[in-house]
Amino acid sequence: MDLVQPLTWPEALAARAEQPDLLPIAGGTDVMVDINFGRRRPAGLLDLTRIDEIATWSVEDGIVRIGAGVTYAQVESDLAGLAPGLAMASRTVGSPQIRMRGTVGGNLGAASPAGDSHPPLLAADAVVEVASATRGARQVPAAEFYTGVKRNALEPDELIAAILVPTASGPQQFSKIGTRNAMVIAVTAFAVALHPDRRAVGTGIGSAAPTPRRAPEAEAFLAGELDAAGLWESRGELPDSVARAFGDRVAAAAAPIDDVRGSAAYRRHALSVMGRRAATWAWDEYRRAA
Ligand SMILES: Cc1cc2nc3c(=O)[nH]c(=O)nc-3n(C[C@H](O)[C@H](O)[C@H](O)COP(=O)(O)OP(=O)(O)OC[C@H]3O[C@@H](n4cnc5c(N)ncnc54)[C@H](O)[C@@H]3O)c2cc1C
């Protein structure tokens, strides 16, 4: 098997364009499992781990730019304040070993409906920056990045360069249900982000549809209720009826299936509970921050 190890981002893009049959590898926590189990037999690997340009994060004009090669461990330790939903989700990924190797870019590359970074990226209105050697960079909103089960919007000559996440203007929450507390693929997951700066609410649903997706009606409902009752200003309590109705709308936005990890009915029920709880946690945090 060929192993190509570029040292710079332009070299990586050139290699991608010249040899699209090479499989990009970052942390390898998906790729190596697939190779070891014989699920993939790529002609070779395009190793992205030596490229400094994609291994760091920075903040500019209210946007956190997270290089595709930034690991979950970095997100946990560095970005809890700027991208709290993503940091919370990162803490639930695999084990410390997986979080030291696994990257957010790799989660997007794999595009599993159960990937834990997707719900908080959707809720935060994140944008995925992808690039090719010939056409340069383009930006794809996270909501348009997931195109099918384990499929994404990348062209064959493109690589993921970075994930652009607006810095949090309010509380964010992530909730994941699995059969145990660690080392578990989500049965279903949910993220919510409050955006008090523009009086909006963001959501992301994981593992309950062919792709990660938002719950737009739930978002509009909660933002509308908060507005109508003047709660953004008063920071009054979130009525339980509103939190429940929000949870119901989150569940209604899902299109789950029965599979080995859980039934569709269980996933829907779990989403209604997670929606209610996550909204209440986030709102209580907003109230405390007054
Ligand atoms: C024991 C174990 C536990 C796990 N637990 C979880 C969990 O709890 N939650 C979860 O979400 N995932 C989990 N995973 C899956 C995996 O760790 C994540 O999907 C991780 O984010 C993959 O990142 P990576 O850097 O290792 O990607 P890799 O395995 O290197 O790559 C994954 C995919 O992305 C592509 N890719 C990587 N980087 C780029 C790039 N820059 N541009 C284009 N394509 C790229 C690769 O070609 C490949 O298709 C687990 C895996 C294991 C082995």
Side-chain angles (χ1 to χ4, degrees), residues 78-102:
D78 299 354
L79 298 179
L82 295 166
L86 184 63
M88 272 182 200
S90 298
R91 268 180 231 123
T92 77
V93 172
S95 61
Q97 295 90 332
I98 296 295
R99 298 197 289 274
M100 289 296 287
R101 296 289 311 175

Side-chain angles (χ1 to χ4, degrees), residues 47-210:
D47 178 10
L48 303 176
T49 56
R50 301 184 174 206
I51 303 168
D52 291 343
E53 291 104 305
I54 59 166
T56 56
W57 63 269
S58 59
V59 188
E60 204 175 316
D61 296 334
I63 304 284
V64 198
R65 181 189 167 86
I66 304 172
V70 167
T71 63
Y72 294 110
Q74 284 171 278
V75 174
E76 279 179 81
S77 67
D78 299 354
L79 298 179
L82 295 166
L86 184 63
M88 272 182 200
S90 298
R91 268 180 231 123
T92 77
V93 172
S95 61
Q97 295 90 332
I98 296 295
R99 298 197 289 274
M100 289 296 287
R101 296 289 311 175
T103 63
V104 181
N107 214 220
L108 287 160
S112 160
D116 286 321
S117 64
H118 312 314
L121 293 180
L122 287 167
D125 288 318
V127 168
V128 186
E129 186 182 301
V130 304
S132 87
T134 48
R135 296 182 307 285
R138 68 185 174 105
Q139 297 192 348
V140 186
E144 291 163 28
F145 186 76
Y146 315 106
T147 55
V149 178
K150 299 192 176 180
R151 291 212 323 271
N152 60 37
L154 279 183
E155 297 294 337
D157 66 344
E158 286 179 328
L159 291 170
I160 300 164
I163 300 98
L164 311 178
V165 188
T167 55
S169 72
Q172 302 182 351
Q173 284 288 337
F174 174 75
S175 178
K176 168 177 171 180
I177 288 188
T179 45
R180 55 188 184 195
N181 278 341
M183 287 290 277
V184 69
I185 302 177
V187 173
T188 183
F190 177 68
V192 67
L194 299 181
H195 306 297
D197 53 333
R198 52 192 164 93
R199 297 181 172 203
V201 174
T203 58
I205 293 174
S207 220

Side-chain angles (χ1 to χ4, degrees), residues 2 5 7 18 33 37-38 47 50 57 69 87 90 100 113 124 165 179 184 211 225 236 252 257 284-285:
D2 279 348
Q5 293 189 304
L7 298 178
E18 280 157 28
V33 174
F37 280 93
D47 178 10
R50 301 184 174 206
W57 63 269
S90 298
M100 289 296 287
V165 188
T179 45
V184 69
T211 64
E225 292 291 319
I257 54 166
D284 287 349
E285 199 182 322

Side-chain angles (χ1 to χ4, degrees), residues 1-4 19 21-24 35 41-47:
M1 194 186 280
D2 279 348
L3 179 63
V4 176
Q19 293 172 271
D21 55 342
L22 296 182
L23 182 64
I35 290 176
R41 279 277 164 254
L45 294 174
L46 177 61
D47 178 10

